Each structure stands twice: as structure tokens, then as C-alpha cells.
Amino acid sequence: MDQVDIDVVAEADLEDPLLVEGLPGVGHVGKLAAQHLVQELDGEPVRRVYTPDFPPQVTVEDDGTTELTHATFHAVDAGDRDLLVLTGDHQAQSNDGHYRLAEALLDVAEEFGVERVFALGGVPTGELVEEPSVLGAATTEAFVEDLESIGVEFRENEPAGGIVGVSGLLLGLGERRGIDGACLMGETSGYLVDPKSGQAVLEVLEEYAGFEVDYGDLEDRAEEMEEVVGKIREMEQQAATNVQSDDDLRYIG
Amino acid sequence: MDQVDIDVVAEADLEDPLLVEGLPGVGHVGKLAAQHLVQELDGEPVRRVYTPDFPPQVTVEDDGTTELTHATFHAVDAGDRDLLVLTGDHQAQSNDGHYRLAEALLDVAEEFGVERVFALGGVPTGELVEEPSVLGAATTEAFVEDLESIGVEFRENEPAGGIVGVSGLLLGLGERRGIDGACLMGETSGYLVDPKSGQAVLEVLEEYAGFEVDYGDLEDRAEEMEEVVGKIREMEQQAATNVQSDDDLRYIG
Amino acid sequence: MDQVDIDVVAEADLEDPLLVEGLPGVGHVGKLAAQHLVQELDGEPVRRVYTPDFPPQVTVEDDGTTELTHATFHAVDAGDRDLLVLTGDHQAQSNDGHYRLAEALLDVAEEFGVERVFALGGVPTGELVEEPSVLGAATTEAFVEDLESIGVEFRENEPAGGIVGVSGLLLGLGERRGIDGACLMGETSGYLVDPKSGQAVLEVLEEYAGFEVDYGDLEDRAEEMEEVVGKIREMEQQAATNVQSDDDLRYIG
Amino acid sequence: MDQVDIDVVAEADLEDPLLVEGLPGVGHVGKLAAQHLVQELDGEPVRRVYTPDFPPQVTVEDDGTTELTHATFHAVDAGDRDLLVLTGDHQAQSNDGHYRLAEALLDVAEEFGVERVFALGGVPTGELVEEPSVLGAATTEAFVEDLESIGVEFRENEPAGGIVGVSGLLLGLGERRGIDGACLMGETSGYLVDPKSGQAVLEVLEEYAGFEVDYGDLEDRAEEMEEVVGKIREMEQQAATNVQSDDDLRYIG
């Protein structure tokens, strides 16, 4: 296998498309958002990206067949705007692998005429968030202003550690090619998969790009997660009670 | 040393051979199965594979001589079918090393006319298994059906993490070359070397390829392992008893 | 991206410049010193260095815009001497990456006519230091003598582990190109960012190169750090007291 | 820097020399032995080997000057036999780096006409050894017999994990070039630098190659180590006593 292998799955003629990236990350916020977009707007796979920078792994599908690890570009007709949506199960597995992968993804994006990139992700808050805000960062001041005007928050020193992985490099390396980029980061605890934060991020993109999607499916998944959270809290309270009574015992003697 | 060095040990004219891979993995199931096959059917070494992706290491044989770490292809005449059986002591030591190694192994396989690959391995269950089932995964639906018809189990979401390492890539990268592949995974605890699971996997392959091997040796090793397991259980029970009495003491005061 | 990308930000005609390196390290001593130099003497960015050996990361500036991780060379007019000052937020992320990065930095230095390098850093003492000395090491005995004559200390077996990272390699690889080099290491606890140690290092360089800078800003930051240290000490004392009383309780029964 | 840089320090015309390798390893046995050989027999540095596979580091000499990390070949006139002795402070820092380094070292060895290699090292026993035996392993049965006849021990399944690092690869990769090799491993605890074990290894080599060295210096260092060991044992006994009395206290209540 070459350093990066691009399979042409289908051709698509996209007009001034936005690249939307949703690889795994904090709370799987970006991945959930991108997958939802592809599912609700009937995205069509157009390119598959294989590389030794992904883990040496096949996934096993429900019918027992295997798939070599890859990332997929989907052509999505979002009404006013065409989107090129990138989904996948993995980030690159090494420091310089992230650079190689991001460059290869930008090559594909340029082939489709992409001039603007949205990297979707989460920003960890350390606690459960009822109403997640969406934080932003962008390659140009003009882009920052565009996003501020539709409710994206920009906070000094956030995210403190910068933006890492493919999301960060699509902005950083994209800018060096003349591609504008923004990162939309939904607030999320950092401990759990977070469909609600994914929805918050998508709603910003919806407003920016002028499309509409149904959120029923993400809302169902958010409810499931809330049940999980509820159970975890119950267990924690019970555990706390047990520890207390155990301590009581210990201090009796 | 080049990235991969292939030594020609002997030539062999194999007719439509199956590649059978048994590198180390969970419970050493695949390795035990492949070694048993080579031993019982008088396999002949035909190629040795050396690569800097293996550990920097020589093994020391019983006579004091050293062997540089490598993997070996054996030509095996299994009656109805010719087999090309791959054994070795190591997986690749890095992420992209797995890709390089798997590609090199597939090159050798193609040289011998291989069109179908069986990767043998184990799937961890977390507890001791009396009668190990054999789980499967394959590159095509037709291959899945073939295997189901001879008793291989296909379970949704198993193995959950997909198939990693050289086994996974022989399927994933093989498919990209037009080579069909299947992974046969014997259930095993994941804590111990498991000859019984190795036998279960071999029995499936036996039925598929129409050969017969004697299992006396694997059965002996399985019995040895059961004695080991028995001793571990005894020790655990004693330890549990000791802890209890120790706790008793601690709570006296 | 190539292995190393050098952006030309501005041209500068420097006369026999000293290269002054201040990448992050123990106590961020070198980084603080180099940044202070650039700030106080109005350094002008002349080259930016991008490489996959830096982390895959963009930083987010106060205005919400992103910057791909890089290191920057600044032209600094320090009166008698021209300086070429290197600052950045990261060391290389891998063993051989350090070598690649150091060679690339030396290429830029040679382009500007550098024949002498100062690597600035800290040496950990394990305890808080009131009056940090500056330890030295240099590529030639003559350079060692020059530095001894202006108060730099040379102690046998210090630093015990040698000098690692880009600082070490600018000396080691520089010497192989005929570039003399010295490392100035301010004593520092190793636990905290240490502006006072940064000042100590700069004062040596000031004397060597014959320039003058104002230290007001570094002194302010040193005072801030001392307040932090004061609070940590208070907390430690309280914690010690609490543990004691807790122990008392435990031994009552 | 190229992948490996070889500096020619001096030319030497060696007749059928033995390569003797003593890079750091268990108990620094091989390193102590090789250094002692160079020191006692007035070895002359002939080649220095620099590579990004060594750590990014300079050492600081007693006079304050720095040295880029490297390994050194010394020409040693040992009477009957010429030796080419390799010393250094580091193994390679990555899996494939070991292969690259070992190949480069063998290139130099072949340039000097080496046809036989001795890799010196230690084998960990887990406890202090009064009279260390020397274990062996070699590339050919004939070489094994040669060594057995002069007292080297060959034990089944020892060393259990094979021989790793540059020592292992000088044998494994050397054999592939037609160079015979042996590894001499002195028994050592594995916890401490062990000059006595180094001497045991050298005595075997002395007998094999027919030279004589004085061991006064190694014996002095062995005595120093024994004093250290004595102090450690004292401290352990005191600690054991303290713990006991502490336990007594704890169980009073």
C-alpha cells in the first residue's frame, strides 16, 4: 500500500462545496454530527481513503464481512450548498501520520473545488452540560466575525491546548494552501458520547450553510445517553452511601 | 537489510493453495493451530521473511545456536488441497510496520498462486471455555455462507474491536488485491495459551479443505494446560481463604 | 508538507549574528529569556519553520484565529551585535525528529551567516533557588574559557544527563558544521516556570554580546511566580497539619 | 545528518580482527568489559558513528566541552590477535533503528576485514552472584563447541527471551553476511553495574583470543560496588526492622 491510497467510489460534480470533517474526537461530537448529516441528507460515498497511518485493522460488519479501516468522503446535496462530508472511525496513529493524512484529505478536497473547511468536534468541560454552547476558532478574522454573528462563541484562551489532530491540521495546513477553515466545538463533558452536543454543532452549520435536517434520530440517541447518565449517577450515589457506612464500621473499633 | 528480505529456502509447486496464517495472538490459538498443521502434515519451509519491523532479536535454539527473528512459509500437502502455512514468533512492532509486513506476506502468497487466505486466531471471552466455538469473519458474503454451512458462528458485533494485526490486514489488504480471506477465531479465555481452542479452529479448516490431522499432540498440551489451570484455581481459593482470615484478624480490634 | 517547510517572512541583513535558541524546556528558562529578548529589543520575525515533527496542532489566538504550530527566527539588533533569536512552543516529538529539526534550524542559521550559537535553558536542582547560578557547556575549550571569564560556572558531571533535545543538537550537530556553540543553563527548581532564572541567563548573554535590556517585565513575572510559590507552601503546610490531625484520629481507637 | 554518519578518525591495518561489541546493556557488563579492553591495551579510536537513531543529546566532558552522542570503534593490538572494539553510551532508540545501526556497524567491521564477532553482555539472574558464570550463544555449532571447550556454558532455554538489541542483531544480521558471531553473557543480578561479571566475560575472550590484560582496575571497581551492595543491604535490614516496629504499633490498638 502506498502512503495513502484513494479509491474513487463515484464521481460527483459539486459546486463550491464546504468540506465538513467529523473524525472521532472528544465525545465523538464531530463524528456524530457528520454521520447524521450524511444519513439525513442521503450522502453518497465518493472517495475512500486508506493509509498505514490508520490502525492495522478490519471492522466486522453485521453480515460477517470485513472492511479495511478507512475514511470516507460523501457528496451531500444540502440545498443551497453542496457539502463534502468526511467520516471515519480513526485519527492517524502517529505524530507525522496526522500531517500526512491531513495533506491527503486536503488534496481530495481541492480536487472537488473546496475553498472552505469546517472541522467539527467537541471541547471538554469536565462536567455534564445541559445546554451546550458551540465554541469556534477560524483561520481568518473575517471568518471569526461570520461565525460570531450566528451565535458561535469565541473565548479567550479556549480551547487552552489549541486544536489537535486532523481537525487542527485541516485548518493549519489548509490555510497554507489558501483554504479558509473553521473549527466548531460543542461543549461536552469529555466522558461520554454526546449526541446533544453534536446537534448543537450541526445547528450552527445549518445556519451558516442554509440547509435543514431533522434531528429526531440524534434526539433519540441523546435521550438514551441521558438514561445511561441517570443510571451512572444512581450507582455513584449508592457507592458513596456504601463507602460512608463502611467508614462508619471502620471507625467503630 | 531492506525493508523486507525474503529468503528462498526451497521451491515448491503448489496447486491453488490456501494461505493459512498463524502468527502469535490471543491465547496463541492461531500459532498453535498453524504449528500443529506443519508438524503433523510434514510441512516444508519454502520462504523465510526477515524485516526491521520484527523485534531486534535472535532466539537461542536448544543447541546454543542463534536464529534471527523471522516468519516462515511452509508448503504443506494436505491431500485434496495444498496449503501454504505461515508461522512465526512475532507480529510487526509498529502501526505501519503491520501494513508493510502484510503486503510483503501477500506478495509471497501471490507468487505461490494463493487466491484464498485463512487467518487463524483467538477471540477473548474473559472466562475459561469448556467447548470453544469458532467465530468467523470473511471478505465476501459468499465466503461467510460457506463457513456458516460448516459450523462457523457469525455473531453481530463480534469481535467488537474488529480484527487487528497481520490477521486483519491479510483480509483487508488481500481483498484489495482480489484475494478472498476469512478469519477463524477460536473462543479462548484470553489469559492462557489455549491448545483446545487451536484444535477447534483446525477442525473447521479440516472440514473446509478436506484434510485430516491427528490431534493427539494438541490434546496432550490441552491436558497440561488444564492441570495448570487446576493449580491456579487451587491457589486462588487458598489466597481467598487467607485474605478472609486476615480480614477477620483486622476487624477483631 | 515537506519534512521541513521554511517560510520567508522578511529579509534581513545581519552582520556576524549570534544564534540564540529558546525553545521550551526545564522551567521554560530558555523560552522566557528568548521571548524577553525579542520583546525588549523589537525583534522582527524573518523565518517561520513548519514540520511534521512538531505536534499536529493549531494554537488559538486571543482574536479566535488559529496558527499552525511552528518555530520563528527573529532578527534582533542588539547594538554591538546582531542576534538571530529562535522561539517556539514545541520541541520535536520524536527521537530522529530532533535531529531533522536541528539540521533544518542550522541550515537557516548558516543562511544568515551564523558562526556561533547560544542555546538557552534551565538545569533542574530539585529545590527552589533564590540566586540562580548559570551553568555552561560549550563545543570548544576556548569558548569554555570565554564564558568562565564572565561568571558562567562549569561543574564536573553537570548536567549529569548531558544536554538533550534541540539545545543539545544545535551544539553537537553545529560543531560538525564548524559552528561553535554554548549552552547557558540557569539553575531552576524544575517544578515551575522560572522568570528569575531566565533573567540570570540573559544577563550572561548581555555581558557576552555587549547589549542591554530592561528586566522590568521579567521581574514582574518573577514576583508573580513567588506569590504562587508562597501559596503552594501555605497549602503544603496546611495539608501537613491536616494529615497529622487525621493520623492522630486514626491512632486513637 | 544522513541516516548514519561515519567519521574516519584514524586508519588502521588490522589482520583478521575480531569485532568486540560492548554497548550498554544488563549490568553494563559488556560496556565495562569493552572499555577495560580499550584502556588496558591502549586502543586507538579509528571510526566514530553518529546517527539519529541515538538519543538527541550531547554529553558534557569534565572540561566543560560537549560531545555529540556516538559509538566508537577502537583498533586494539592484543598480541596474537587484532581486535576492533566498539564502545558507546547508547543502544538505538527504536525498533528499526537497531537494524539500521547494526547494519552500519557491520559495514564498518567488514571494511576492516572482520569475519568473527563477539557481542559482550550480561544475563540477569535476579539475585547477587558471587562467582558469575559466562553463558554463550553463537551462530554456528562449530563456534558453540569452540566456546564450550573453554568453559562457556550453554543452557537450554537461556536466555529465555533470546538476545535483544545491537548484540543480537550483530549475530543475526552478521550471519546473513557470512560473519560468524558469538554472544558472551556474564551472569549478573540485573540491578547493579557489575564489574566482576565484566571481568568474567573478558577472561573468556582472553582465553579465546590469546591475549592478557591486567584486571586491577575492574577489581577495584568491583570492590567499590560491593561496598555499595553492603550499604544497601544494611539499609534494607534497617527498613525491615522499622516496618516491623511500625506494624507492632499499628496492631496495638
Side-chain angles (χ1 to χ4, degrees):
Chain A
M1 176 179 278
D2 291 331
Q3 205 53 54
V4 178
D5 264 13
I6 311 284
D7 278 14
V8 176
V9 185
E11 286 304 345
D13 198 18
L14 303 178
E15 201 171 330
D16 187 22
L18 294 177
L19 174 61
V20 178
E21 174 263 332
L23 295 183
V26 184
H28 278 210
V29 172
K31 183 178 167 177
L32 288 169
Q35 281 180 335
H36 188 72
L37 210 52
V38 170
Q39 178 191 305
E40 295 296 321
L41 299 182
D42 297 320
E44 184 198 15
V46 290
R47 295 287 183 280
R48 289 209 182 89
V49 181
Y50 298 86
T51 166
D53 289 315
F54 283 141
Q57 192 172 338
V58 290
T59 53
V60 182
E61 307 300 303
D62 286 351
D63 64 358
T65 59
T66 53
E67 285 268 10
L68 182 58
T69 292
H70 61 273
T72 307
F73 284 96
H74 307 262
V76 173
D77 176 355
D80 292 0
R81 289 295 291 255
D82 283 339
L83 307 179
L84 185 66
V85 181
L86 177 71
T87 61
D89 288 334
H90 298 281
Q91 295 269 339
Q93 299 296 297
S94 69
N95 194 83
D96 50 352
H98 277 99
Y99 281 82
R100 277 191 299 268
L101 177 59
E103 294 283 17
L105 298 175
L106 287 166
D107 287 346
V108 174
E110 287 196 318
E111 187 197 330
F112 281 99
V114 165
E115 295 180 356
R116 195 154 269 215
V117 175
F118 278 90
L120 310 186
V123 59
T125 59
E127 49 191 25
L128 294 169
V129 185
E130 280 302 308
E131 298 287 334
S133 299
V134 175
L135 268 68
T139 50
T140 67
E141 286 179 43
F143 206 165
V144 168
E145 282 164 23
D146 285 0
L147 294 173
E148 262 182 329
S149 72
I150 57 171
V152 176
E153 294 190 22
F154 290 80
R155 299 184 194 149
E156 235 174 82
N157 287 320
E158 285 200 42
I163 301 165
V164 296
V166 166
S167 290
L169 290 186
L170 288 180
L171 271 65
L173 294 173
E175 187 182 17
R176 291 176 66 75
R177 297 176 179 222
I179 296 177
D180 282 351
C183 189
L184 300 178
M185 293 159 280
E187 289 186 326
T188 183
S189 69
Y191 308 129
L192 297 163
V193 169
D194 192 344
K196 192 187 272 181
S197 183
Q199 179 172 343
V201 163
L202 262 195
E203 284 169 349
V204 168
L205 191 64
E206 212 178 2
E207 178 145 358
Y208 179 87
F211 60 82
E212 276 185 26
V213 291
D214 182 88
Y215 290 108
D217 196 62
L218 271 186
E219 283 163 0
D220 289 352
R221 297 185 66 172
E223 267 176 44
E224 284 168 32
M225 283 312 299
E226 271 169 27
E227 281 174 36
V228 171
V229 169
K231 278 179 195 155
I232 291 173
R233 281 186 169 151
E234 252 174 57
M235 282 162 62
E236 282 178 348
Q237 282 169 359
Q238 285 190 340
T241 319
N242 291 351
V243 167
Q244 218 183 332
S245 55
D246 196 39
D247 277 0
D248 288 353
L249 270 174
R250 199 169 288 168
Y251 285 110
I252 287 181
Chain B
M1 175 179 278
D2 291 331
Q3 205 52 54
V4 178
D5 264 14
I6 311 284
D7 278 14
V8 175
V9 185
E11 286 304 345
D13 198 17
L14 303 178
E15 202 172 330
D16 187 21
L18 294 177
L19 174 61
V20 178
E21 173 263 334
L23 295 184
V26 184
H28 278 210
V29 173
K31 183 178 168 177
L32 288 168
Q35 281 180 335
H36 188 72
L37 209 53
V38 169
Q39 178 190 305
E40 295 296 321
L41 299 182
D42 296 320
E44 184 198 14
V46 289
R47 295 288 184 280
R48 288 210 183 88
V49 181
Y50 298 86
T51 166
D53 289 315
F54 283 141
Q57 192 172 339
V58 290
T59 52
V60 181
E61 307 299 303
D62 286 351
D63 65 357
T65 60
T66 53
E67 286 269 10
L68 181 58
T69 292
H70 60 274
T72 307
F73 284 96
H74 307 262
V76 173
D77 176 355
D80 292 0
R81 289 294 292 255
D82 284 339
L83 307 179
L84 185 67
V85 181
L86 177 71
T87 61
D89 287 334
H90 298 281
Q91 295 269 339
Q93 300 296 297
S94 69
N95 194 83
D96 50 352
H98 277 99
Y99 281 83
R100 278 191 298 268
L101 178 58
E103 293 283 18
L105 298 175
L106 287 166
D107 287 346
V108 174
E110 287 196 318
E111 188 197 330
F112 281 99
V114 165
E115 294 180 357
R116 196 154 269 215
V117 176
F118 277 90
L120 310 186
V123 59
T125 58
E127 50 191 24
L128 294 169
V129 185
E130 281 303 308
E131 299 287 334
S133 300
V134 175
L135 268 68
T139 49
T140 67
E141 286 179 43
F143 206 164
V144 169
E145 282 164 24
D146 285 0
L147 294 172
E148 263 182 329
S149 72
I150 57 171
V152 176
E153 293 190 22
F154 290 80
R155 299 184 194 150
E156 235 173 82
N157 287 320
E158 285 200 43
I163 301 165
V164 296
V166 166
S167 290
L169 290 186
L170 287 180
L171 271 65
L173 294 173
E175 187 182 17
R176 290 176 66 75
R177 297 176 179 221
I179 296 177
D180 283 351
C183 189
L184 299 178
M185 294 160 279
E187 289 186 326
T188 182
S189 69
Y191 308 129
L192 296 163
V193 169
D194 192 344
K196 191 187 273 182
S197 183
Q199 179 172 344
V201 163
L202 262 195
E203 284 169 349
V204 168
L205 191 63
E206 212 178 3
E207 179 145 358
Y208 180 87
F211 60 82
E212 276 185 26
V213 291
D214 182 88
Y215 290 107
D217 196 61
L218 271 186
E219 282 163 1
D220 289 353
R221 297 185 66 172
E223 266 176 44
E224 284 169 32
M225 283 312 298
E226 270 168 28
E227 280 174 36
V228 170
V229 169
K231 278 179 195 155
I232 290 172
R233 281 186 169 152
E234 253 175 56
M235 282 162 62
E236 283 178 348
Q237 283 170 359
Q238 285 190 340
T241 319
N242 291 351
V243 167
Q244 219 183 332
S245 55
D246 196 39
D247 277 0
D248 288 353
L249 270 174
R250 199 168 288 169
Y251 285 110
I252 286 181
Chain C
M1 176 179 277
D2 291 332
Q3 205 52 54
V4 178
D5 264 14
I6 311 284
D7 278 15
V8 175
V9 185
E11 286 305 345
D13 198 17
L14 303 178
E15 202 172 330
D16 186 21
L18 294 177
L19 174 61
V20 178
E21 174 263 333
L23 294 184
V26 184
H28 278 209
V29 172
K31 183 178 168 178
L32 288 168
Q35 281 180 334
H36 188 73
L37 208 53
V38 170
Q39 177 190 306
E40 295 296 321
L41 299 182
D42 296 320
E44 184 199 14
V46 289
R47 295 287 184 281
R48 289 209 183 89
V49 181
Y50 298 86
T51 166
D53 289 315
F54 283 141
Q57 192 172 339
V58 290
T59 53
V60 182
E61 307 299 303
D62 286 351
D63 64 358
T65 60
T66 53
E67 285 269 10
L68 182 59
T69 292
H70 61 273
T72 308
F73 284 96
H74 307 262
V76 173
D77 176 356
D80 291 0
R81 289 294 292 255
D82 283 339
L83 307 179
L84 185 66
V85 181
L86 177 70
T87 61
D89 287 334
H90 298 282
Q91 295 269 339
Q93 299 296 297
S94 69
N95 194 82
D96 50 352
H98 277 99
Y99 282 83
R100 278 191 298 268
L101 177 58
E103 294 283 17
L105 298 175
L106 287 166
D107 287 346
V108 174
E110 287 197 318
E111 187 197 330
F112 281 99
V114 165
E115 295 180 356
R116 196 153 268 216
V117 176
F118 277 90
L120 310 186
V123 59
T125 59
E127 50 191 24
L128 294 169
V129 185
E130 281 303 309
E131 298 287 334
S133 299
V134 175
L135 269 68
T139 50
T140 67
E141 286 179 43
F143 206 165
V144 169
E145 282 164 24
D146 285 0
L147 295 172
E148 262 182 329
S149 72
I150 57 171
V152 175
E153 293 190 22
F154 290 80
R155 299 184 193 148
E156 234 174 84
N157 287 320
E158 285 200 43
I163 301 165
V164 297
V166 166
S167 290
L169 290 186
L170 288 180
L171 271 65
L173 294 173
E175 187 182 17
R176 290 176 66 75
R177 298 176 179 222
I179 296 177
D180 282 352
C183 189
L184 299 178
M185 293 159 280
E187 289 186 325
T188 183
S189 69
Y191 308 129
L192 297 163
V193 170
D194 192 344
K196 191 188 273 181
S197 183
Q199 178 172 344
V201 163
L202 263 195
E203 284 169 349
V204 168
L205 190 63
E206 212 179 3
E207 179 145 358
Y208 180 88
F211 60 82
E212 276 185 25
V213 290
D214 182 88
Y215 290 107
D217 196 62
L218 271 186
E219 283 163 0
D220 289 353
R221 297 185 66 172
E223 268 177 43
E224 284 169 31
M225 283 312 299
E226 271 169 27
E227 281 174 35
V228 170
V229 169
K231 278 179 196 156
I232 290 172
R233 282 186 168 151
E234 252 175 57
M235 281 162 62
E236 282 178 349
Q237 283 169 358
Q238 285 191 340
T241 319
N242 291 351
V243 167
Q244 218 183 332
S245 55
D246 196 39
D247 277 0
D248 288 353
L249 269 174
R250 199 168 288 169
Y251 286 111
I252 287 182
Chain D
M1 175 179 278
D2 291 331
Q3 204 53 53
V4 178
D5 264 14
I6 311 284
D7 278 14
V8 175
V9 185
E11 286 304 346
D13 198 17
L14 303 179
E15 202 171 330
D16 187 22
L18 294 177
L19 174 61
V20 178
E21 174 263 333
L23 295 184
V26 184
H28 278 210
V29 172
K31 183 178 168 178
L32 288 168
Q35 281 179 335
H36 188 73
L37 209 52
V38 170
Q39 178 190 305
E40 295 296 321
L41 299 182
D42 297 320
E44 183 199 15
V46 289
R47 295 287 183 280
R48 288 209 183 89
V49 181
Y50 298 87
T51 166
D53 289 315
F54 283 141
Q57 192 172 339
V58 290
T59 53
V60 182
E61 307 299 302
D62 286 351
D63 65 357
T65 59
T66 53
E67 285 269 11
L68 181 58
T69 292
H70 61 273
T72 307
F73 285 96
H74 307 262
V76 173
D77 176 356
D80 292 0
R81 289 294 291 254
D82 283 340
L83 307 179
L84 185 66
V85 181
L86 177 71
T87 61
D89 288 334
H90 298 281
Q91 295 269 338
Q93 299 297 297
S94 68
N95 194 83
D96 50 352
H98 277 99
Y99 281 83
R100 278 191 298 268
L101 177 59
E103 293 282 18
L105 298 175
L106 287 166
D107 287 346
V108 174
E110 287 196 318
E111 187 197 330
F112 281 99
V114 165
E115 295 180 356
R116 196 153 268 215
V117 176
F118 277 90
L120 310 186
V123 59
T125 58
E127 50 191 24
L128 294 169
V129 185
E130 281 303 308
E131 298 287 335
S133 299
V134 175
L135 269 67
T139 49
T140 67
E141 286 179 42
F143 206 165
V144 169
E145 282 164 25
D146 285 0
L147 295 172
E148 262 182 329
S149 72
I150 57 171
V152 176
E153 293 190 23
F154 290 80
R155 299 184 194 150
E156 235 174 81
N157 287 320
E158 285 199 43
I163 301 165
V164 297
V166 166
S167 290
L169 290 186
L170 287 180
L171 271 64
L173 294 172
E175 188 182 16
R176 290 176 65 75
R177 298 176 179 221
I179 296 177
D180 283 351
C183 189
L184 300 178
M185 294 159 280
E187 289 186 326
T188 183
S189 69
Y191 308 129
L192 297 163
V193 170
D194 192 345
K196 191 187 274 182
S197 183
Q199 178 172 344
V201 163
L202 262 195
E203 284 169 349
V204 168
L205 191 63
E206 212 178 2
E207 179 144 358
Y208 179 88
F211 60 82
E212 275 185 27
V213 290
D214 182 88
Y215 290 108
D217 196 61
L218 272 186
E219 282 163 0
D220 289 353
R221 297 185 66 172
E223 267 176 44
E224 284 169 31
M225 283 312 299
E226 271 168 28
E227 280 174 35
V228 171
V229 169
K231 277 179 196 156
I232 291 173
R233 281 187 169 151
E234 253 175 56
M235 282 163 62
E236 282 178 348
Q237 283 169 358
Q238 285 190 340
T241 319
N242 291 351
V243 167
Q244 218 183 333
S245 55
D246 196 38
D247 278 359
D248 288 353
L249 270 174
R250 199 168 287 169
Y251 285 110
I252 286 181

